[in-house]
């Protein structure tokens, strides 16, 4: 396992994702993933499976201290009172007294950003959260959040895969000492038919999924990976024993195009940064 260090946090480079995973599958897969060697699990209040993530962790037998656990506060819970009680509720469901990382799931201008950042700091100071960060923030919001926060932000969790050029937000995060965490690395399944990726996969005797996950972590960016298959979870973890050449890295990055973004929900998405 490789780690990403950012503003005091040590984040396992690959995390097991649980978006769109049912309760029973969540418990089964989180338990399997941890036994297989994952040490980073990503959930969110809105996924509706925090309780089963907690059950899966207990079932795995892995010590809590050995695990990096992330959850995200949903946008409706950003007013201070709701924020604080929602975090207590998350901890109860997750059956733990702290999470390693707590994120604002999406921007929400209905509540001042300063109030959201204060609440993140309040739960951090109370020991309920080790590290804080954001998700789906553009560079302007990210820099505003950094300036407002007494405690450093450690990550911005964003959509990232071969079809999207995220260089503006990557550069801004690095400038702030923050990491990036990539979601949707498989571009909702689009990567599997990509000839360039298939060719690189064949050259390394690896799967397309492994090539894409390797391409992310080789940039010093953490990556999330979701699957309901035990075999795929194990496969996706095997990305730390080979290296892509600089030519291969560039060939994957060259797949990006202007309309590669997949996740941009109305009413939540900010004005996205556009790469030069
Ligand atoms: N912050 C946010 O707003 C946000 C948004 C989206 C996601 N996320 C986080 O990021 C995580 C990852 O994103 P994602 O859920 O879209 O998943 P993903 O890791 O991009 O995978 C997408 C799909 O690829 C399939 N897959 C995975 N490994 C495979 C393999 N080796 N071979 C063939 N198919 C494979 C999976 O299907 P099967 O299950 O059928 O194998 C999965 O449904 C989420 O679970 C969540 O934790 C965060």
């Amino acid at each position: 396992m490789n780690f990403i260090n950012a503003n005091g946090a040590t984040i396992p480079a690959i995390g097991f994702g649980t978006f769109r995973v049912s309760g029973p599958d969540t418990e089964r897969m989180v338990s399997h993933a941890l036994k297989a060697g994952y040490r980073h699990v990503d959930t969110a209040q809105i996924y509706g499976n925090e309780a089963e993530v907690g059950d899966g962790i207990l079932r795995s037998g892995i010590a809590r201290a050995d695990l990096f656990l992330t959850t995200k506060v949903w946008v409706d819970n950003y007013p201070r009172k709701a924020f604080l009680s929602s975090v207590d509720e998350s901890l109860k469901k997750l059956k733990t007294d702290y999470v390693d990382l707590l994120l604002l799931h999406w921007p929400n201008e209905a509540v001042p950003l300063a109030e959201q950042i204060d609440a993140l700091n309040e739960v951090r100071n109370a020991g309920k959260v080790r590290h804080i960060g954001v998700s789906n923030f553009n560079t302007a919001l990210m820099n505003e959040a950094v300036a407002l926060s007494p405690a450093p932000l450690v990550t911005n969790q964003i959509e990232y895969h071969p079809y999207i050029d995220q260089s503006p937000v990557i550069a801004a995060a690095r400038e702030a000492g923050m990491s990036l965490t990539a979601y949707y690395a498989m571009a909702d399944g689009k990567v599997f038919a990509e000839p360039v990726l298939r060719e690189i996969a064949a050259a390394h005797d690896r799967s397309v999924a492994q090539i894409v996950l390797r391409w992310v972590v080789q940039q010093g960016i953490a990556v999330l990976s979701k699957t309901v298959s035990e075999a795929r979870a194990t496969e996706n973890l095997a990305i730390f024993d080979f290296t892509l050449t600089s030519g291969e890295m560039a060939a994957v990055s060259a797949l990006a195009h202007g309309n590669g973004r997949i996740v941009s929900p109305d009413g939540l998405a900010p004005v996205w940064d556009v790469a030069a």
Side-chain angles (χ1 to χ4, degrees):
M1 178 62 68
N2 288 14
F3 295 87
I4 311 282
N5 294 303
N7 279 339
T10 302
I11 306 172
I14 186 163
F16 190 75
T18 61
F19 179 43
R20 298 186 289 195
V21 184
S22 71
D25 281 347
T26 299
E27 181 179 344
R28 172 178 62 87
M29 287 307 303
V30 166
S31 169
H32 169 81
L34 293 176
K35 285 185 200 153
Y38 288 80
R39 288 294 177 269
H40 172 176
V41 176
D42 181 85
T43 184
Q45 292 173 350
I46 199 73
Y47 298 171
N49 58 13
E50 286 175 311
E52 290 83 359
V53 168
D55 293 339
I57 293 169
L58 291 180
R59 188 165 135 188
S60 75
I62 299 296
R64 174 69 189 86
D66 294 339
L67 169 68
F68 190 96
L69 177 60
T70 301
T71 196
K72 316 180 195 82
V73 179
W74 186 241
V75 293
D76 295 343
N77 293 330
Y78 287 176
R80 180 175 174 274
K81 215 169 147 217
F83 193 110
L84 301 182
S85 60
S86 82
V87 171
D88 287 339
E89 185 69 28
S90 287
L91 294 179
K92 201 169 144 197
K93 288 179 177 165
L94 289 163
K95 296 158 198 78
T96 182
D97 51 11
Y98 71 97
V99 287
D100 296 274
L101 180 59
L102 185 72
L103 305 178
L104 300 174
H105 203 148
W106 283 90
N108 176 10
E109 287 176 354
V111 177
L113 185 57
E115 185 175 335
Q116 302 172 34
I117 297 293
D118 281 355
L120 278 178
N121 278 272
E122 190 171 340
V123 290
R124 183 182 177 276
N125 291 339
K128 296 176 181 181
V129 165
R130 288 182 61 218
H131 302 286
I132 56 176
V134 296
S135 178
N136 298 301
F137 273 38
N138 64 15
T139 53
L141 283 167
M142 197 176 73
N143 289 335
E144 210 183 312
V146 166
L148 285 166
S149 188
L153 303 182
V154 306
T155 207
N156 185 5
Q157 187 180 123
I158 56 164
E159 176 180 347
Y160 192 40
H161 47 71
Y163 302 115
I164 186 167
D165 183 343
Q166 289 281 30
S167 46
V169 71
I170 293 170
R174 291 204 165 128
E175 187 70 24
M178 292 170 63
S179 63
L180 273 303
T181 306
Y183 73 73
Y184 258 55
M186 301 302 134
D188 216 13
K190 291 185 182 61
V191 295
F192 299 115
E194 178 63 53
V196 171
L197 296 172
R198 291 170 79 119
E199 198 179 308
I200 297 172
H204 287 270
D205 197 17
R206 297 285 168 152
S207 68
V208 165
Q210 289 172 320
I211 297 302
V212 172
L213 295 168
R214 177 71 207 180
W215 169 77
V216 178
V217 299
Q218 205 168 306
Q219 297 173 61
I221 293 173
V223 70
L224 300 174
S225 174
K226 168 266 169 187
T227 174
V228 293
S229 146
E230 276 93 344
R232 286 175 175 178
T234 302
E235 171 190 324
N236 294 355
L237 193 57
I239 56 169
F240 301 107
D241 59 347
F242 72 104
T243 306
L244 298 174
T245 66
S246 54
E248 289 167 339
M249 290 294 289
V252 179
S253 300
L255 294 170
H257 53 80
N259 58 352
R261 187 180 293 279
I262 300 166
V263 186
S264 192
D266 288 344
L268 290 174
V271 177
W272 298 113
D273 299 291
V274 179

